[in-house]
Amino acid sequence: MVYLNGEYLPLEEAKIPVLDRGFIFGDGVYEVIPVYDRRPFRLAEHLRRLQHSLDGIRLANPLTEAEWSECITHIAEAAETEDQGIYLQVTRGPAPRDHAFPKVVRQTVFIMSTPLTTPPRELVEQGVSAVTAVDNRWLRCDIKAIALLPNVLLRQLAVDAGCAETILLRDGFLTEGAASNVFVVRDGVILAPPKSNLMLPGITYDVVLEIAANQGFAHAVRQVSEAELRGAEEIWLTSSTKEVTAVTRLDGRPVADGRPGPLFWKMHAAYQAFKQTVMRAA
């Protein structure tokens, strides 16, 4: 079951006009909300991020927070799995093809659920490989725009190389991954690039920093240079599906000794405890 413009219906019956601006121009935004035991995690924070994206493209929010909550909860309860990823998308709706905004906007609202898959134990123990690339995306990466072609092309570089992710560099500094946030450990300190227009403000990113503070792990939010990335003791990818995953090879070379590092294992254990005691109790 999915939600489309006020209706709950089977996915195969959901249809939109071919002149929807999301289809024609990629004129819309999206959000992904992890759900544990059918309960959305930090729904208010995700809806604030959605509002930020809508504001960024000058599109009015079509639903109130209570309406979003009702729709998302309905979809989560109707899904087959307990743990899910709720995907929602808002476009500027159907209109004659013209770059300028239509005078009358009829937003298209779509919500669906997919099973939430997290890293298997083998991947956690071995870590993953990543490649680097120049971050050639636009300058509003903080907006979760549905026009993700640059991310798609950058992510495909990793797929072509048999890797899990592409880590992006802009003007000599780390920004994020094509589909994740990135943390670096240097001299025993967890380093996180600061939130800006050049990266997506990840909810899992926030969780990792909260855990670091609560556990007393040394950490800092500041710019991370390419040299610091390449000479890192540890590199982590974070997202709702990757959770916290260690990168053990970068551009074909091992990161440190090529195994997940000691700080990763502490963070992994703390994250799993947080997941059980907080995320599942949301």
Side-chain angles (χ1 to χ4, degrees):
M1 178 186 293
V2 302
Y3 174 94
L4 179 63
N5 294 336
E7 292 187 79
Y8 296 98
L9 67 168
L11 177 62
E12 58 272 13
E13 295 180 14
K15 304 288 190 299
I16 64 167
V18 294
L19 287 181
D20 190 286
R21 288 177 62 94
F23 178 69
I24 296 293
F25 292 119
D27 185 0
V29 299
Y30 75 101
E31 187 60 57
V32 181
I33 305 166
V35 172
Y36 301 97
D37 296 332
R38 300 191 187 277
R39 291 189 291 270
F41 175 64
R42 293 193 173 175
L43 179 57
E45 286 88 337
H46 283 92
L47 292 179
R48 278 199 295 271
R49 189 169 66 176
L50 172 65
Q51 186 64 58
H52 174 80
S53 296
L54 289 167
D55 292 343
I57 68 167
R58 297 168 59 186
L59 181 58
N61 195 327
L63 301 178
T64 66
E65 185 169 333
E67 289 170 335
W68 278 116
S69 179
E70 180 182 353
C71 294
I72 290 166
T73 300
H74 189 96
I75 291 293
E77 290 177 349
E80 295 181 358
T81 55
E82 298 287 317
D83 292 358
Q84 310 158 40
I86 297 290
Y87 175 89
L88 62 89
Q89 176 173 301
V90 183
T91 78
R92 214 174 300 272
R97 189 184 186 282
D98 184 353
H99 285 67
F101 295 167
K103 289 184 170 53
V104 177
V105 175
R106 295 172 292 156
Q107 298 99 321
T108 295
V109 180
F110 174 69
I111 309 173
M112 70 175 179
S113 169
T114 56
L116 184 64
T117 57
T118 53
R121 185 66 188 179
E122 179 181 351
L123 186 147
V124 172
E125 292 176 347
Q126 295 180 357
V128 299
S129 298
V131 294
T132 59
V134 173
D135 191 345
N136 58 8
R137 303 169 301 166
W138 71 327
L139 298 179
R140 289 304 311 272
C141 298
D142 55 312
I143 297 173
K144 285 183 75 74
I146 62 173
L148 284 172
L149 183 58
N151 294 70
V152 168
L153 294 173
L154 289 164
R155 177 73 172 78
Q156 190 61 37
L157 294 177
V159 173
D160 293 343
C163 296
E165 181 61 298
T166 303
I167 294 177
L168 307 179
L169 297 158
R170 191 190 293 261
D171 299 327
F173 292 95
L174 168 67
T175 53
E176 58 184 343
S180 62
N181 288 119
V182 181
F183 289 78
V184 167
V185 177
R186 291 277 300 194
D187 300 323
V189 179
I190 302 168
L191 301 178
K195 291 181 181 181
S196 72
N197 61 299
L198 300 179
M199 63 177 278
L200 180 70
I203 304 298
T204 307
Y205 167 103
D206 291 341
V207 168
V208 168
L209 288 175
E210 288 173 23
I211 291 173
N214 291 336
Q215 295 291 321
F217 300 153
H219 63 284
V221 176
R222 64 166 176 78
Q223 285 193 313
V224 179
S225 70
E226 179 175 354
E228 288 177 310
L229 172 71
R230 297 194 182 281
E233 298 157 13
E234 303 182 31
I235 301 171
W236 308 341
L237 306 175
T238 67
S239 71
S240 58
T241 54
K242 293 180 178 67
E243 296 188 337
V244 184
T245 299
V247 175
T248 50
R249 294 188 69 83
L250 184 65
D251 290 333
R253 298 180 178 181
V255 176
D257 64 0
R259 295 178 295 180
L263 199 48
F264 165 78
W265 285 114
K266 291 179 181 179
M267 177 58 73
H268 179 266
Y271 186 93
Q272 294 305 314
F274 183 88
K275 182 177 176 181
Q276 294 302 319
T277 59
V278 178
M279 292 179 172
R280 293 198 180 281

